[in-house]
Amino acid sequence: MTKLTELREELHACRNCELYRDATQAVFSVGRASATVMLVGEQPGDREDLEGEPFVGPAGHVLDEALEQAGIARSDVYLTNAVKHFRFERRGKRRIHEKPAVSHIEACHPWLEAELAVVRPRVVVCLGATAGRSVLGRPVKVTQERGRPLDVDAPYEVVVTTHPSALLRLRDRGDYAGELRRLADDLAVAAAL
Ligand code: URA
């Protein structure tokens, strides 16, 4: 059994915080252990929680568009999340995404550390502030820190960019294409490292 397969199995028994109680399942990663670029998202969304795979819902489609523009194949990257269970609020039949608290990010951090130890990427891309907080261990201002390698004491480079779901809100407005380009440019910066 590979180390990643072992981690995936162990993750399903995770009780590090209370989020496991309402989520359908823990969502591990997709991608090869030999990938040089690791993308870290926030947490699984509604679709990911049901399907058990990261970035298969609407934010995943935005990410796919950005990766394509950046000339990066999804199959070449390792894709995971800072928090492995879906945090949501129930409103009637709907499950509304709720941002993970710092306590959830910290409780889940050992899983990300274990993935970093196995994959040993050259570059880690933080998709949004939650991923930034987990990878860098400090609050991150995406608008100020995005798109360039940050000063980190780690065996990999770290680049922060916006979360693809932030673009979903712009979909019907003129700025979607521009913001998608910026996300793709940040991904290309990371890939070039
Ligand atoms: N948003 C994330 O951060 N991760 C996913 O897997 C899906 C949506």
Side-chain angles (χ1 to χ4, degrees):
M1 202 190 283
T2 69
K3 194 73 191 125
L4 285 179
T5 312
E6 270 176 42
L7 281 177
R8 179 189 300 272
E9 293 200 350
E10 286 168 23
L11 176 68
H12 287 293
C14 183
R15 303 289 182 263
N16 288 358
C17 74
E18 77 287 0
L19 293 183
Y20 77 90
R21 286 197 211 123
D22 294 328
T24 308
Q25 59 192 316
V27 177
F28 195 53
S29 59
V30 280
R32 286 174 294 115
S34 58
T36 53
V37 178
M38 180 185 281
L39 303 188
V40 184
E42 183 196 66
Q43 64 167 356
D46 186 67
R47 283 280 301 281
E48 290 80 12
D49 169 79
L50 296 171
E51 293 189 27
E53 233 192 78
F55 286 102
V56 290
H61 298 139
V62 175
L63 180 63
D64 286 344
E65 279 191 80
L67 286 169
E68 199 185 329
Q69 278 200 19
I72 302 166
R74 199 198 232 244
S75 55
D76 280 350
V77 300
Y78 180 89
L79 194 49
T80 192
N81 281 305
V83 172
K84 312 296 198 221
H85 284 105
F86 180 33
R87 184 181 195 209
F88 61 91
E89 190 194 318
R90 246 180 233 289
R91 281 201 215 135
K93 285 199 180 140
R94 295 184 64 208
R95 303 192 301 170
I96 309 296
H97 165 276
E98 244 195 301
K99 207 170 141 60
V102 172
S103 62
H104 302 127
I105 299 170
E106 286 173 354
C108 225
H109 189 70
W111 295 111
L112 188 61
E113 279 296 321
E115 292 171 275
L116 285 164
V118 175
V119 179
R120 293 189 293 124
R122 274 200 231 138
V123 191
V124 177
V125 181
C126 305
L127 300 169
T130 296
R133 168 98 212 188
S134 185
V135 172
L136 297 165
R138 62 168 174 83
V140 169
K141 282 227 158 58
V142 175
T143 47
Q144 287 168 22
E145 302 189 63
R146 69 181 292 175
R148 58 186 159 85
L150 298 174
D151 192 15
V152 287
D153 181 17
Y156 43 78
E157 303 274 5
V158 177
V159 174
V160 168
T161 188
T162 191
H163 192 285
S165 67
L167 274 70
L168 288 171
R169 288 169 236 134
L170 307 174
R171 262 240 149 108
D172 301 322
R173 304 212 321 246
D175 25 10
Y176 179 77
E179 284 306 313
L180 185 67
R181 184 73 258 164
R182 284 189 78 197
L183 173 57
D185 286 349
D186 292 350
L187 293 172
V189 166
L193 291 170

